[in-house]
Amino acid sequence: MPTVALLTAGHLLHFELAVAYEIFGNPPREATEGWYDVLLCGPGPLRVGPFTVEPDHGLEHLAEADTVIVPACADIDDPPPPEVVEAVRAAHASGARVASLCTGAFLLGAAGLLDGRRATTHWAHAAELSARHPLAVVDPDVLYTDNGSVLTAAGKAAAVDLCLHLIHLDHGAGIANSVARRLVMPPHRAGGQAQFVTTPMQVTGDHTLSHLLAWVRQRLDRPLTVTDMARKANTSPRHLGRQFRSVTGQTPLQWLLTQRVRRAQELLEATDESIEAVARATGMGTATTLRRQFKRIVGVPPDSYRRSFRSANPA
């Protein structure tokens, strides 16, 4: 019987811990044999949100598990205890498959398990994960990553996606689909985190670009070039490009395209306008162009995005 060890140490978030326990601790009827033996491993009683968790095994048992699940930590600025980091590192060295949920990726990073590997975490913390662990290849757009022995999931609901993925690997699609049906969710969700990311923080105040960016956002339905933007900012296109890369991390045209797509998201959520009309309102020109760029940036087609995020009209 494969063993799944749930790490219960540090300042954990109860949602991810409960999700993992629910999924791995309750076999579906179709799984007649070989389901998981779930262990709670930690140094002692732990307060998790409003609950107190009593581990039934010590940290040393992580190294005996087939799979180690590292739930999300409540405070990424609170360093994990050294003995916990060492226990996770030792478990991986002994051959365990180690998977983090949401901000649990920061503990994997502290253990050195993300170096040279693709990783993800909640999109709001992806930049910080990349800054702290520059050898990791952090992808803020995906729901989860799978490097074989090291796996990471994005925020909250993506923990379910990764757990279902692990069951798919261990027991096949049929069993994973059965668990997904019990959870009342699809066994595989389309797209990645990009569709949930809010509009990036705006440049405000007296910054030299603040007035230009506001001017551009009011004209997203019109043709705009870097020359137009530079003329408005009373600077050269080359200098404007340097300013944009310094402030936004993007070229002027990349930033402009992102703003057009974000505006399209707003229209898809809040209106019944056709895709063609949304394309015109956001300066994309045609529905074909909108669909191509929207899918590339958001990860799903605009039609699928609208079905997922369209605000319900009150009766």
Side-chain angles (χ1 to χ4, degrees), residues 5 31 40 52 62 77 99 109 134 139 158 162 176 217 224 227:
L40 296 179
T52 297
L62 293 180
D77 293 322
D139 188 340
L162 179 54
R217 290 192 196 96
L224 288 171
T227 300

Side-chain angles (χ1 to χ4, degrees), residues 212-264:
L212 172 64
L213 301 192
W215 180 82
V216 171
R217 290 192 196 96
Q218 294 172 358
R219 293 163 175 77
L220 293 176
D221 59 333
R222 309 177 193 178
L224 288 171
T225 66
V226 175
T227 300
D228 296 330
M229 296 163 69
R231 186 180 298 116
K232 176 63 180 178
N234 195 28
T235 188
S236 69
R238 178 174 296 182
H239 182 65
L240 183 68
R242 287 196 293 267
Q243 285 185 302
F244 260 86
R245 282 188 289 272
S246 173
V247 173
T248 71
Q250 297 176 302
T251 67
L253 289 181
Q254 288 171 336
W255 179 86
L256 176 60
L257 179 59
T258 300
Q259 298 305 306
R260 294 191 193 281
V261 169
R262 297 308 180 205
R263 178 58 179 154

